[in-house]
């Protein structure tokens, strides 16, 4: 099973959540007294894994690697990052709601699809480039296709504008 299929399967099992509180905290461990290492902005779709009965979930490694690159220590070392979905037990607000969106709405879906189509690794090597969301890729020309389809360029027409009969 490809990475994209695995992520789609997770999305179908409802691991895609929407942030409903601004500055939703991220923790190093699933405890409210653990170290806070960052936050999520309101309205963001976030990919989660390992949903727990106590209201905690682990942020998926692909989300940490691509979307939360400021909190990772290096390209190869991804810290465990946890988020509290519903903080009612701790007198905190509900931070996330289950999203009805499919994986196509996740910021990095196009990047994964493009990487798999081209047979390259989704996660960069130590000296590679970081992935970009679709909004960040808006500079691409109409000939670029993130879904892997090959776009045919129009024929080149060369007209000789020199008048050789002068």
């Amino acid at each position: 099973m490809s990475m994209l299929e695995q992520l789609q399967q997770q999305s179908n099992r409802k691991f895609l959540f929407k942030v409903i509180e601004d500055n939703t905290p991220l923790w190093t461990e699933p405890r409210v007294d653990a170290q806070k290492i960052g936050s999520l902005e309101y309205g963001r779709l976030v990919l989660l894994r390992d949903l727990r009965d106590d209201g905690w979930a682990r942020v998926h490694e692909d989300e940490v690697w691509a979307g939360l690159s400021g909190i990772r220590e290096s390209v190869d070392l991804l810290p465990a990052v946890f988020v509290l979905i519903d903080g009612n037990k701790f007198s905190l607000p509900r931070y996330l709601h289950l999203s009805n969106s499919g994986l196509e709405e996740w910021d990095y879906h196009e990047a994964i699809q493009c990487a798999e189509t081209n047979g390259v690794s989704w996660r960069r090597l130590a000296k590679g480039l970081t992935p970009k969301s679709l909004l960040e890729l808006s500079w691409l020309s109409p000939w670029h296709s993130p879904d892997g389809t090959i776009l045919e360029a129009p024929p080149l027409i060369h007209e000789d504008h020199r008048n050789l009969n002068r």
Side-chain angles (χ1 to χ4, degrees):
M1 180 181 295
S2 73
M3 184 187 317
L4 184 59
E5 289 168 341
Q6 289 172 357
L7 289 174
Q8 284 173 332
Q9 183 180 18
Q10 286 180 351
S11 176
N12 292 337
R13 293 182 5 205
K14 302 299 182 188
F15 283 82
L16 201 57
F17 281 76
K18 186 168 188 169
V19 178
I20 58 170
E21 284 286 326
D22 203 23
N23 297 318
T24 295
L26 299 170
W27 285 274
T28 57
E29 297 177 45
R31 297 186 344 253
V32 292
D33 61 344
Q35 178 186 359
K36 291 181 183 175
I37 56 173
S39 64
L40 297 170
E41 65 273 2
Y42 176 83
R44 177 179 177 156
L45 286 176
V46 62
L47 193 61
L48 303 179
R49 59 172 264 192
D50 302 336
L51 304 180
R52 298 168 34 142
D53 293 335
D54 60 0
W56 289 92
R58 184 171 177 174
V59 179
H60 193 280
E61 291 85 0
D62 286 335
E63 183 78 44
V64 174
W65 184 78
L68 304 174
S69 58
I71 65 172
R72 68 176 186 239
E73 295 174 26
S74 73
V75 173
D76 300 318
L77 184 60
L78 295 175
V81 177
F82 295 89
V83 65
L84 185 59
I85 295 172
D86 188 353
N88 286 335
K89 292 181 186 177
F90 308 102
S91 300
L92 295 170
R94 181 174 186 90
Y95 291 110
L96 300 131
H97 268 269
L98 199 54
S99 174
N100 293 328
S101 302
L103 186 59
E104 310 80 47
E105 299 299 318
W106 184 53
D107 283 346
Y108 302 97
H109 175 263
E110 300 263 348
I112 289 177
Q113 191 175 18
C114 189
E116 288 200 351
T117 299
N118 291 303
V120 296
S121 173
W122 148 245
R123 294 188 190 171
R124 72 179 174 140
L125 301 173
K127 295 183 181 181
L129 299 172
T130 57
K132 301 294 180 188
S133 71
L134 190 57
L135 292 176
E136 293 172 308
L137 292 176
S138 61
W139 61 269
L140 292 176
S141 77
W143 306 113
H144 290 85
S145 176
D147 68 357
T149 57
I150 298 173
L151 299 175
E152 191 173 317
L156 295 176
I157 300 173
H158 175 65
E159 295 180 23
D160 191 357
H161 295 289
R162 297 175 289 160
N163 187 351
L164 299 177
N165 295 328
R166 282 194 218 177

